[in-house]
Amino acid sequence: MFQRNVAFDGILNNIGGFGKFDEHDGVTTGTVLASPSRHNPNYFFQWTRDSALTIKTLVDFLEDHKFDLSKYRIDLSTVVEAYIYNAYNLQRVPNPAGDFESLEGLGEAKFMPDGKPFEAVWGRPQRDGPGLRVITISKYLNLLKEHDKVLLHPGLHNETFVYEEILKPDLEYIIKNWKQPGFDLWEEVNSIHLFTSLTQLKALKMGLEISKRNNDNEFHHVLTKSFNALRFFILAESGYKSHSVPYLLESPELVLRGERSGLDIASILASLQAHDITSESDSLDIPFPVEDSVVFNTLIAMINDMKTFTTAMAHPKAIHGSSLLQLPLSSFTN
């Protein structure tokens, strides 16, 4: 219980309006800050990817506790809905990646805490953000329906509004761009990436369910075609699974150029984020579930690679635990 509360307090302290920061600090309500640190390093920004993954943790907590809001000191649904409303506004902010009308602005990686665009040079576009946002928000809407609850934030109106104004643009972005290169979740490499593809596929699957629920039959048909095309690409064309190595390749193009081995913890994260542990259909519909041998082989290969790479792993008697870094050739670990 203590550890849970410490972890949750850490999350909420970095969400505008619910912790240490609010609009008086230049932080919009619902903004999920990467860190309170503003200097050396400065992470006082909101990343599209990180925000979606963080809020999904809160949604998972609500799911695990059957939407019992008494399980934590504040109403977590208000936090989630503040994030959703903030996402609605961010989608419409013109930024260096593009604008809302063209949908290209949805591929922007990060924004200022007050919702203004981040104008500096960065690795953009990052095409996993819209899919992760769809996963998080769709899961919350499904949870509301399951427990016979409704949206309470005055700016969100109802499920149809959220579907039409937030989820559908993100899904349209995925349909338009799933085969286009973008920067990976480490913001280093502009290519096609397993993490992006798998989370996009999961988002399309969730979009199929919610579009059907909202009687959007024409768009449901478009989603079906895109889901099948992306799934085929992942399995047959992408090179994510190679006959030459027993593990998954996060960015196959880099392997073909001889720049990297393809090993990346992002491949494991992709499997975890694209498959809901409570969904049997995910393992059938979406490639590379955690029980797939190639995912296990990837984990083992990562461990073996780190043993030879890190000094700590080379002297196991000197450590009391272990962890996996991102990948040896990343600038994060160099």
Side-chain angles (χ1 to χ4, degrees):
M1 178 70 73
F2 173 77
Q3 184 176 5
R4 185 199 73 184
N5 289 340
V6 168
F8 266 65
D9 286 346
I11 291 174
L12 294 172
N13 279 339
N14 284 350
I15 299 179
F18 298 94
K20 292 183 177 180
F21 305 99
D22 57 26
E23 295 187 2
H24 292 95
D25 305 297
V27 181
T28 302
T29 300
T31 290
V32 182
L33 295 168
S35 168
S37 175
R38 304 185 195 216
H39 306 286
N40 299 322
N42 181 10
Y43 283 119
F44 203 69
F45 303 99
Q46 50 178 325
W47 267 265
T48 304
R49 173 193 311 106
D50 298 5
S51 300
L53 292 173
T54 299
I55 296 300
K56 184 173 177 289
T57 301
L58 304 185
V59 177
D60 288 341
F61 181 87
L62 288 172
E63 180 184 42
D64 291 344
H65 292 87
K66 303 186 185 304
F67 222 105
D68 183 352
L69 300 177
S70 68
K71 292 298 182 179
Y72 193 64
R73 61 179 175 80
I74 69 169
D75 181 351
L76 292 179
S77 66
T78 62
V79 183
V80 176
E81 293 183 18
Y83 156 78
I84 297 174
Y85 186 66
N86 184 55
Y88 165 78
N89 290 317
L90 290 179
Q91 285 178 316
R92 288 152 178 81
V93 175
N95 57 71
D99 55 27
F100 182 70
E101 286 69 26
S102 67
L103 298 178
E104 293 307 311
L106 301 180
E108 177 59 19
K110 70 180 191 179
F111 294 83
M112 304 301 290
D114 60 0
K116 293 178 181 177
F118 175 75
E119 301 283 3
V121 175
W122 205 253
R124 55 171 67 92
Q126 295 182 25
R127 303 194 189 278
D128 57 335
L132 292 169
R133 188 159 50 205
V134 167
I135 293 170
T136 294
I137 297 175
S138 296
K139 185 165 187 176
Y140 181 69
L141 293 179
N142 291 341
L143 197 61
L144 289 177
K145 182 174 178 59
E146 179 184 345
H147 293 278
D148 197 26
K149 296 182 180 293
V150 296
L151 291 157
L152 297 178
H153 192 288
L156 297 179
H157 308 298
N158 52 44
E159 180 184 286
T160 299
F161 175 86
V162 174
Y163 167 67
E164 290 285 351
E165 301 297 330
I166 304 176
L167 297 180
K168 192 170 181 178
D170 277 342
L171 290 166
E172 289 173 333
Y173 179 88
I174 296 171
I175 292 167
K176 180 181 178 182
N177 291 295
W178 64 260
K179 209 169 185 178
Q180 300 302 316
F183 279 82
D184 60 339
L185 75 166
W186 313 122
E187 307 183 306
E188 295 181 340
V189 178
N190 189 13
S191 185
I192 300 293
H193 312 285
L194 176 60
F195 181 88
T196 302
S197 294
L198 273 192
T199 52
Q200 286 175 334
L201 190 68
K202 172 67 172 177
L204 291 177
K205 181 185 176 185
M206 298 188 82
L208 284 167
E209 178 182 351
I210 199 165
S211 63
K212 184 176 182 179
R213 197 158 74 216
N214 283 271
N215 299 313
D216 194 353
N217 297 326
E218 184 176 347
F219 190 59
H220 185 275
H221 177 68
V222 174
L223 284 170
T224 301
K225 291 175 61 176
S226 296
F227 178 88
N228 291 335
L230 177 52
R231 187 174 187 274
F232 180 82
F233 171 78
I234 292 171
L235 287 170
E237 298 178 341
S238 64
Y240 295 139
K241 187 174 182 179
S242 171
H243 296 295
S244 60
V245 292
Y247 53 81
L248 292 169
L249 304 179
E250 165 63 13
S251 305
E253 185 179 334
L254 273 67
V255 180
L256 292 174
R257 297 202 302 252
E259 296 178 11
R260 291 185 178 175
S261 69
L263 276 176
D264 192 323
I265 194 63
S267 298
I268 304 297
L269 297 175
S271 178
L272 293 172
Q273 293 300 327
H275 299 87
D276 193 326
I277 195 170
T278 61
S279 171
E280 293 183 6
S281 64
D282 275 357
S283 295
L284 299 174
D285 297 334
I286 301 175
F288 314 135
V290 291
E291 64 268 23
D292 191 322
S293 61
V294 73
V295 177
F296 183 74
N297 289 342
T298 304
L299 180 61
I300 296 301
M302 283 288 299
I303 294 171
N304 290 335
D305 202 44
M306 289 299 171
K307 284 180 180 178
T308 62
F309 174 70
T310 64
T311 303
M313 290 299 178
H315 302 86
K317 292 182 180 179
I319 61 174
H320 301 286
S322 63
S323 62
L324 286 177
L325 299 177
Q326 174 197 338
L327 70 166
L329 293 180
S330 165
S331 62
F332 281 80
T333 51
N334 281 348

